[in-house]
Amino acid sequence: MPELPEVETMRRGIAPAVGMRIDRVEIPRGRLRPLLIEPAPPQFASHVRGSVLEAAERFGKRLALRLRATDAKSSRARLATAATPRWLVVEPRMTGLLLVAEPPTQEHVRLRLGGESPAGRPAELLFWDRRGLGTLRLVDADGLARLCGEDRLGPDALEISAAELITRLGGSARAVKVALLDQKALAGVGNLYAAEILFRAGIDPRTRCSRLSRPRWRRLHAVMQEVLAEAIELEGSTLSDATYRTALNEPGRYQARHQVYGRAGQPCQVCGTDVTRIVQAQRSTFFCRACQVR
DNA sequence: CGTTCAACCTGGGCGC
DNA sequence: TGCGCCCAGGTTGAAC
């Protein structure tokens, strides 16, 4: 679910919590697999408790929350925290959410916020994940580089230049839709926005990257910026299952703009041709056979 | 290089 | 009503 626009919306939604101290960490027993939370809950909680949320940064579809340790009670804790700047890396995957309002059902992790709390500041930060495929990982600077560094993620889709996009993907033999999903090449675009971007660019998703002309790459680049910016403006896409919510537990509004995603068999809003669904790399691809050409 | 499959999970929708 | 199946905004590693 969450792609770049949804994760950016999440980042902005929790921004009011930046500067606040995490006074308590509550992790319901038996609800978190090792894959989902690292280190294991007792260590995770003891490391996070007492720290101040200093910043929330987005890397593609991931969020990294920078934590600073404060007034550690024991010298042992002070040593440990001073030696390792800590980042809480949140990877929502399909259904993970960060919320400052009550989640739809029991949350997975609840961080109670304290310290200076002027009116309007959230009292809690919640992680909720219906399918439980997301991850929360507490890491040091090396760990952050391993999870979000340039070996792992390509340039952010909102920041990459047209020239760099062409350099990174232009020579590939893969279908352009598949290449756009490659987070090592380009970070942030997922299945939904890849479909919408290619529709607006008029490009058949099956076209091999190496067959696209430079003008078409530049068009694709410009359209990618437009689509992502509009989706952020409308706080992301909430699909029919309503899983994705903003940090305030409200639906996004970009779904009203979808031209092809999830619209198989319905008429293209530009030309009336039925939208087609195919499968590429085991994922659904939606496109208009008339508007999108090779 | 590239593709393909399975795995991690829950839950909604559909046909029978 | 219920069962079995397919589907889903993502990522990863193995096999070919």
Side-chain angles (χ1 to χ4, degrees), chain A residues 65 92 101 103 120 126 154 189 202 226 239 246 249 255 274 284 286 294:
Chain A
L65 310 185
L126 309 161
V189 175
E226 283 172 19
L239 303 180
T246 70
N249 195 14
Q255 62 279 6
D274 281 359
S284 289
F286 300 91
R294 296 212 200 206

Side-chain angles (χ1 to χ4, degrees), chain A residues 10-32:
Chain A
M10 238 176 253
R11 189 189 70 77
R12 295 180 184 191
I14 66 165
V18 170
M20 297 188 74
R21 193 179 63 231
I22 298 162
D23 285 341
R24 279 175 60 84
V25 178
E26 298 173 9
I27 302 172
R29 298 168 62 86
R31 292 186 55 84
L32 297 176

Side-chain angles (χ1 to χ4, degrees), chain A residues 73-244:
Chain A
K73 297 274 194 313
S74 73
S75 56
R76 208 184 84 201
R78 194 180 306 121
L79 251 177
T81 50
T84 51
R86 293 186 186 279
W87 295 85
L88 176 50
V89 177
V90 180
E91 198 179 340
R93 302 221 181 165
M94 295 293 264
T95 51
L97 294 179
L98 278 178
L99 298 153
V100 296
E102 284 304 300
T105 56
Q106 187 186 28
E107 73 284 356
H108 283 140
V109 175
R110 179 182 296 254
L111 308 178
R112 290 197 185 274
L113 305 171
E116 305 293 312
S117 58
R121 294 291 196 103
E124 302 174 319
L125 194 53
L126 309 161
F127 179 73
W128 178 82
D129 189 344
R130 198 190 76 184
R131 287 171 70 179
L133 298 175
T135 63
L136 295 179
R137 284 179 282 201
L138 194 59
V139 298
D140 60 14
D142 286 347
L144 179 69
R146 242 178 289 119
L147 293 173
C148 302
E150 56 189 25
D151 288 347
R152 192 52 156 282
L153 297 177
D156 195 85
L158 279 184
E159 291 171 10
I160 194 170
S161 68
E164 190 166 17
L165 184 67
I166 295 170
T167 300
R168 292 190 151 253
L169 294 181
S172 171
R174 297 130 103 195
V176 61
K177 153 74 179 345
V178 175
L180 288 175
L181 298 184
D182 179 353
Q183 303 299 300
K184 280 197 178 72
L186 171 71
V189 175
N191 205 39
L192 190 161
Y193 292 101
E196 294 300 318
I197 289 164
L198 289 169
F199 175 82
R200 205 185 286 194
I203 295 171
D204 185 317
R206 299 165 294 183
T207 313
R208 291 181 186 275
C209 290
S210 56
R211 303 291 298 259
L212 279 174
S213 66
R214 294 183 74 86
R216 297 190 86 203
W217 273 112
R218 283 193 290 272
R219 167 93 176 127
L220 174 54
H221 174 264
V223 157
M224 176 170 78
Q225 312 287 319
E226 283 172 19
V227 167
L228 296 175
E230 285 173 28
I232 291 168
E233 181 72 27
L234 295 179
E235 302 187 291
S237 299
T238 296
L239 303 180
S240 57
D241 70 5
T243 300
Y244 167 71

